[in-house]
Amino acid sequence: MSLRARVADYAWIVAAQARAFLAPPDPGRWGSGTGAPVLLLPGIWEGWAVLRELGDALHRAGHPVRVVPGLGTNSADVDVAAHLVADRLDALDLHDVVVVAHSKGGLIAKAALPLAGDRIAGIVTFATPFAGSRYATWFPARPVRRLSPRDPALRELAADVSSHSRIVALRPRFDPHVPRDAATPALTGAVEVELPLDGHFRPLGDADLHAAVVRAVDGFSGPGRRPHEP
């Protein structure tokens, strides 16, 4: 990934964060729809409004979309956040939800599965470090270090493959934050799809990612609610 592409990736998230702060959207605008309900989960240090373009695409496709305001900017530990997700689903009394998550949000979604019972039909993630990211190991901020492959809680979550059949894991061709290397095992039992997109953040605004996410979400709506490759 070129330096220019890296700069564009960071420029996108800075602009998205600024827009979310200065002009936050109303999540109520996504409340209607006859498709499977969707719960959006952002990545670390992201508010849900960073995913507004993805939310818009899912709503246009007919899905009612919900968020978890209690996550704030998503700096809490994964297990704490997972309880917030389960509580939110309970409060909304939602069933057969498809969780759509970016980065750390995918870890939270996986951790929420045993807490949420039948409320979650499946999970669609983008750029999630299911096995951790080696770049997080020495990061000075604790919330990021918790995403290291050395973190005991993350290692325990990664070792649990029982829920992988309910996960569609989308990833970019190149991710400057979540590298794919020999030390990163495959997500056994899940559907993994590499998209011809570069970056950890910028693809969140890309129509190709939106289309892939919509197809994956729709894949949980068929007979048996089994995911299929987008």
Side-chain angles (χ1 to χ4, degrees):
M1 187 177 184
S2 69
L3 177 60
R4 183 175 180 178
R6 285 177 183 267
V7 170
D9 194 44
Y10 292 121
W12 188 93
I13 189 59
V14 169
Q17 294 277 33
R19 185 184 176 198
F21 177 76
L22 296 173
D26 175 12
R29 68 183 184 177
W30 294 331
S32 62
T34 59
V38 169
L39 189 74
L40 282 184
L41 297 183
I44 190 168
W45 291 335
E46 296 171 6
W48 64 264
V50 166
L51 304 179
R52 75 168 75 196
E53 293 174 77
L54 184 53
D56 285 341
L58 286 160
H59 188 238
R60 285 194 301 270
H63 298 281
V65 179
R66 312 292 186 185
V67 299
V68 187
L71 284 177
T73 55
N74 202 6
S75 60
D77 287 350
V78 167
D79 59 338
V80 173
H83 280 87
L84 290 174
V85 168
D87 289 346
R88 179 64 168 164
L89 293 175
D90 284 342
L92 295 172
D93 194 24
L94 292 177
H95 295 270
D96 298 325
V97 173
V98 181
V99 180
V100 172
H102 175 230
S103 194
K104 177 188 173 184
L107 300 176
I108 296 169
K110 182 181 176 183
L113 277 172
L115 304 173
D118 66 350
R119 294 190 183 276
I120 298 177
I123 299 170
V124 180
T125 69
F126 177 70
T128 290
F130 283 104
S133 170
R134 52 188 165 87
Y135 297 146
T137 303
W138 309 112
F139 200 85
R142 180 181 179 275
V144 177
R145 289 200 306 275
R146 296 303 306 270
L147 304 180
S148 164
R150 300 184 180 185
D151 182 80
L154 191 144
R155 290 170 66 91
E156 182 179 356
L157 183 63
D160 181 4
V161 302
S162 62
S163 63
H164 286 183
S165 63
R166 297 161 69 184
I167 297 175
V168 174
L170 309 177
R171 64 175 183 266
R173 177 173 48 200
F174 179 84
D175 189 330
H177 290 276
V178 184
R180 294 283 296 181
D181 52 34
T184 304
L187 198 61
T188 305
V191 174
E192 293 188 87
V193 182
E194 181 177 292
L195 301 174
L197 301 170
D198 293 325
H200 189 74
F201 304 109
R202 194 180 184 192
L204 294 173
D206 193 288
D208 288 342
L209 175 62
H210 300 166
V213 169
V214 169
R215 289 194 298 271
V217 169
D218 289 343
F220 285 103
S221 302
R225 297 188 179 275
R226 298 283 295 180
H228 61 260
E229 184 168 326

